[in-house]
């Protein structure tokens, strides 16, 4: 072990950071382009809740986003997504379950977010909540996959999550979610996301500071 790079974790370092006063910033992604998209409707419900809890919220529309690597990353939709990913302090990913997995539409959005831009990792240390909608019985395949992706993107994925079964029954004609245990879980998840974001956003740099990445390590 290199003594010059070794730092014992410190309670004082966690407590000493200046606290931000701006509204917590959230980017929401959904995984369907259908005219009546239940993942979009669930995402919009999450957006309303985050706004009611004091959040500054952006919902990305994936319409027109090219497949990863099919165009230069200067494409306007790619730049829009990447700019929002850098701006956000927390994210919500919501996908339908298709063939036992998240959709390619949701995965393509995540694949366009780079692991690094220069020396900056756009998602590292940011919070993440995951949700899914299903056409049949309740499943957790999509949220489990998104958790793996969140870890890969070095995000702080909160413990709670939402999985809405038979989503076609859970929204009214106006696209609003009906009162139910599923809706209450969505409220729970958004509350937890805001709490974790407020708790970690000002110390995220310290939380992801790693011995192996400090100057003076192996070439």
């Amino acid at each position: 072990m290199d003594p010059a790079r070794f730092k014992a974790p410190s309670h004082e370092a966690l407590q000493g950071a200046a606290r931000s006063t701006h509204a917590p910033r959230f980017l929401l992604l959904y995984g369907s382009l259908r005219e009546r998209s239940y993942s979009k409707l669930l995402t919009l419900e999450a957006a309303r809740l985050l706004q009611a809890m004091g959040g500054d919220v952006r919902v990305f529309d994936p319409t027109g986003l090219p497949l990863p690597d099919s165009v230069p990353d200067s494409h306007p939709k790619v730049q829009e997504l990447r700019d929002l990913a850098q701006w956000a302090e927390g994210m919500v990913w919501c996908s339908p379950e298709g063939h036992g997995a998240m959709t390619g539409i949701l995965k393509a959005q995540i694949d366009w977010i780079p692991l690094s831009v220069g020396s900056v990792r756009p998602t590292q240390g940011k919070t993440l909540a995951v949700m899914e909608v299903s056409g049949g019985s309740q499943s957790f395949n999509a949220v489990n996959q998104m958790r793996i992706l969140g870890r890969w993107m070095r995000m702080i994925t909160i413990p709670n999550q939402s999985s809405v079964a038979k989503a076609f029954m859970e929204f009214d004609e106006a696209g609003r979610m009906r009162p139910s245990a599923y809706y209450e879980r969505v409220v729970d998840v958004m509350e937890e996301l805001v709490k974790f974001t407020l708790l970690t956003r000002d110390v995220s740099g310290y939380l992801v500071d790693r011995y192996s990445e400090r100057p003076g390590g192996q070439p």
Side-chain angles (χ1 to χ4, degrees):
M1 187 170 62
D2 181 356
R5 289 188 291 144
F6 178 74
K7 299 178 183 178
S10 164
H11 180 76
E12 288 72 23
L14 287 169
Q15 295 296 318
R19 291 295 172 183
S20 299
T21 57
H22 65 270
R25 301 190 296 257
F26 298 103
L27 170 61
L28 281 61
L29 308 179
Y30 59 91
S32 171
L33 298 177
R34 292 179 176 177
E35 183 176 355
R36 185 171 171 85
S37 162
Y38 294 108
S39 64
K40 180 178 180 179
L41 293 179
L42 184 58
T43 297
L44 293 177
E45 290 292 344
R48 294 183 187 100
L49 289 166
L50 290 172
Q51 289 169 339
M53 296 174 193
D56 186 358
V57 180
R58 303 287 185 275
V59 178
F60 179 73
D61 181 358
T63 303
L65 182 70
L67 288 173
D69 301 324
S70 66
V71 298
D73 58 18
S74 58
H75 187 282
K77 287 295 290 187
V78 176
Q79 283 301 305
E80 178 189 355
L81 176 58
R82 290 187 170 190
D83 289 346
L84 287 170
Q86 291 197 9
W87 165 86
E89 297 167 325
M91 294 190 192
V92 178
W93 297 348
C94 182
S95 178
E97 180 172 319
H99 300 293
M102 80 181 76
T103 63
I105 294 165
L106 194 283
K107 182 63 163 57
Q109 294 173 74
I110 298 169
D111 284 346
W112 271 121
I113 301 172
L115 283 173
S116 63
V117 178
S119 61
V120 178
R121 293 185 175 91
T123 54
Q124 178 172 253
K126 297 182 179 184
T127 53
L128 171 66
V130 293
M131 306 191 298
E132 73 168 88
V133 294
S134 303
S137 59
Q138 191 174 43
S139 174
F140 300 94
N141 291 319
V143 288
N144 287 339
Q145 284 188 322
M146 288 186 281
R147 284 189 175 278
I148 293 172
L149 281 173
R151 183 182 65 198
W152 189 255
M153 303 296 281
R154 296 186 173 183
M155 303 183 77
I156 302 168
T157 308
I158 67 171
N160 214 340
Q161 62 188 24
S162 169
S163 175
V164 179
K166 297 183 180 179
F168 62 92
M169 299 177 62
E170 298 301 322
F171 294 86
D172 63 22
E173 292 301 317
R176 295 302 307 270
M177 196 170 185
R178 304 181 195 277
S180 68
Y182 289 131
Y183 179 77
E184 292 186 0
R185 173 59 67 89
V186 177
V187 179
D188 290 348
V189 173
M190 294 307 111
E191 279 187 348
E192 189 170 287
L193 177 63
V194 173
K195 291 174 184 177
F196 270 77
T197 304
L198 293 174
L199 182 67
T200 63
R201 66 176 179 175
D202 295 314
V203 294
S204 62
Y206 180 68
L207 292 173
V208 298
D209 178 50
R210 295 176 176 87
Y211 170 84
S212 62
E213 297 176 352
R214 292 176 193 140
Q218 294 295 323

